[in-house]
Amino acid sequence: MLLPFIAILIFSLIILRWKFFRLPGLSPVFILFVFFLKIGAGFISFNYHNTYFAGGDGAIYLNGGRDLLTLSGNDPETYIRLLANQNRGQDDWEKAYKKIIFWDSKSETNIIQDNRNAIRINSLISLMSFKSTGVHIIILIFISLIGLMALYKTFSRWFKTIYPPAVFLATFLIPSIVFWTSGILKETHTLFFFGLFLLQLSSFLYKPKTKSLLFTLLLGIAVFLVRSYLAIVLIVPVLF
């Protein structure tokens, strides 16, 4: 319990001090409230999937990410090669990849493998969570909170005539957003990239610059890699 508590304390201080979480008319205390609310939802989500779905997708991403670390034998070069899906066709490496559930898709049409990318992201988070599931969840929640804050900034710019508290409620406190973007699920890290993409797109539209366009494209590619169908849906409105 000590490590999750320390993680909560560190991220709470970051929320209160980081300028990214500051906007006129919006106190960081409100963001802190959302953070604590999402922590509760995150642990409920984890226990819910453990109880009724034997861990569900979250177990696949969490355990798969940890498997990458274990199979690397704590060798950084081997870990990077596994993370990058290298040395395919070699017996020893194929045996390692087969131990990671859903690393390879059974569908030939699944060109962008969302599951594999989710495993990669959770593996990188496992490097920082000290094998603590609680810390792992809290890091993911903080990442999703950054995405939500980016969405709030974007919507505040796009919908200036709407009462700010209404934008806040619509962005942060929709029950499905609170619950489904707080667990070890694709939605959690997808929200991070999606929010930053829209914020960067908004900045580019207001002040078109080559550097801004480059960042927008990179974040668009990131959204495509973590949630391909969402990126496809975004293509038409983004072009308009």
Side-chain angles (χ1 to χ4, degrees):
M1 289 298 295
L2 180 60
L3 284 178
F5 176 79
I6 293 173
I8 291 172
L9 180 61
I10 291 172
F11 287 126
S12 295
L13 291 173
I14 292 173
I15 290 169
L16 292 173
R17 292 181 176 274
W18 189 10
K19 289 183 178 180
F20 180 77
F21 289 105
R22 294 181 186 176
L23 276 179
L26 179 65
S27 170
V29 173
F30 289 104
I31 305 300
L32 203 59
F33 167 75
V34 174
F35 180 54
F36 291 143
L37 185 64
K38 284 174 64 63
I39 289 174
F43 282 93
I44 290 173
S45 172
F46 180 77
N47 289 314
Y48 167 76
H49 285 91
N50 265 352
T51 302
Y52 296 103
F53 300 101
D57 290 349
I60 293 172
Y61 309 143
L62 178 64
N63 294 331
R66 289 176 175 175
D67 286 342
L68 280 174
L69 291 169
T70 301
L71 292 169
S72 70
N74 294 322
D75 177 55
E77 183 179 350
T78 302
Y79 175 70
I80 293 172
R81 288 180 180 274
L82 285 169
L83 201 69
N85 197 40
Q86 296 296 302
N87 298 339
R88 299 309 304 254
Q90 298 182 21
D91 291 342
D92 291 342
W93 289 77
E94 287 298 328
K95 289 178 182 178
Y97 288 125
K98 287 180 180 178
K99 292 179 180 178
I100 306 172
I101 187 171
F102 285 108
W103 181 259
D104 290 319
S105 174
K106 296 180 181 180
S107 174
E108 295 180 359
T109 59
N110 193 6
I111 300 174
I112 302 298
Q113 298 188 29
D114 295 351
N115 286 328
R116 183 184 294 173
N117 290 327
I119 291 171
R120 284 168 168 154
I121 289 171
N122 279 277
S123 184
L124 292 172
I125 291 174
S126 293
L127 292 172
M128 301 178 285
S129 64
F130 305 101
K131 296 183 179 180
S132 167
T133 301
V135 175
H136 194 102
I137 293 172
I138 292 166
I139 292 173
L140 276 171
I141 288 169
F142 181 73
I143 288 173
S144 74
L145 194 63
I146 292 175
L148 283 172
M149 192 66 199
L151 282 178
Y152 178 82
K153 289 187 174 186
T154 304
F155 295 154
S156 295
R157 177 181 288 176
W158 288 356
F159 310 115
K160 293 180 179 179
T161 59
I162 298 179
Y163 188 46
V167 179
F168 177 83
L169 288 171
T171 304
F172 290 97
L173 296 178
I174 295 175
S176 59
I177 291 293
V178 173
F179 183 78
W180 292 110
T181 66
S182 299
I184 308 177
L185 301 170
K186 291 178 188 175
E187 288 76 13
T188 308
H189 59 259
T190 297
L191 183 61
F192 170 77
F193 292 109
F194 177 62
L196 290 179
F197 168 72
L198 285 187
L199 181 61
Q200 185 60 47
L201 174 65
S202 178
S203 298
F204 171 71
L205 292 175
Y206 276 84
K207 291 183 179 180
K209 294 181 180 179
T210 303
K211 185 178 180 180
S212 183
L213 175 61
L214 178 61
F215 282 131
T216 303
L217 291 174
L218 288 174
L219 286 167
I221 292 171
V223 173
F224 185 73
L225 291 175
V226 299
R227 211 64 166 174
S228 53
Y229 70 80
L230 175 61
I232 293 171
V233 170
L234 281 173
I235 288 175
V236 174
V238 165
L239 289 177
F240 276 104

